[in-house]
Amino acid sequence: MSVVSLDSKSFGPTLGRPGILLIEWWAKWCSPCRIFGPVFEGMAGRYPDVTFARVDVNGQPELVEVMGVQALPALMVFRDGFLLLNHVGVLPEPMLEDVIRQARALDMGEVRRKLAEFRASKARVRVGLHGV
């Protein structure tokens, strides 16, 4: 699979799809980005079931701001819309493979259950504070 380019129109729909999504935030002027880019592209060819996407920070300043990107290269890893990793800097190929392996191994049912429990506990705290 090739690397897809994301912009403000395609970002939300891509993020909303089920599965693993890796987003590389980059710029042409960024030397470390030129090092990481070929690694990222090579991995895209080996993992066709994973979506590899790229955001050119110069062309998408609104996405940069909304997502809080402050340094390059940056890598965000999502699974089923959940942000799993927000990493700044070059990742060597073995580490990127490990990130993908861990994202695949994650029990998303358990993640959703724990998130629901967390939200419920926060709601109880808010209700309790209002009742004081």
Side-chain angles (χ1 to χ4, degrees):
M1 180 172 197
S2 62
V3 177
V4 298
S5 292
L6 295 180
D7 58 25
S8 58
K9 291 180 180 162
S10 61
F11 191 86
T14 302
L15 184 59
R17 285 187 279 194
I20 299 171
L21 168 65
L22 280 72
I23 302 175
E24 176 194 14
W25 300 80
W26 73 284
K28 289 180 185 177
W29 50 261
C30 168
S31 295
C33 297
R34 289 194 298 269
I35 294 168
F36 183 60
V39 172
F40 192 74
E41 291 166 6
M43 297 297 282
R46 283 189 275 178
Y47 293 92
D49 61 318
V50 174
T51 301
F52 287 79
R54 214 176 237 149
V55 176
D56 180 350
V57 298
N58 292 320
Q60 302 301 320
E62 67 284 349
L63 283 179
V64 171
E65 184 176 342
V66 167
M67 296 305 292
V69 175
Q70 297 181 359
L72 299 176
L75 175 70
M76 292 183 183
V77 179
F78 296 86
R79 175 142 176 220
D80 298 345
F82 288 91
L83 178 62
L84 304 178
L85 176 71
N86 187 359
H87 175 82
V88 174
V90 174
L91 271 179
E93 190 174 300
M95 290 178 74
L96 189 54
E97 285 183 328
D98 190 48
V99 165
I100 293 169
R101 181 192 59 74
Q102 290 182 54
R104 280 186 172 151
L106 196 58
D107 180 348
M108 293 308 293
E110 180 70 6
V111 169
R112 286 182 186 87
R113 186 186 65 72
K114 286 187 177 188
L115 180 60
E117 287 175 2
F118 175 77
R119 287 180 174 159
S121 72
K122 288 294 208 182
R124 283 191 298 272
V125 169
R126 278 195 299 267
V127 169
L129 290 175
H130 293 294
V132 174

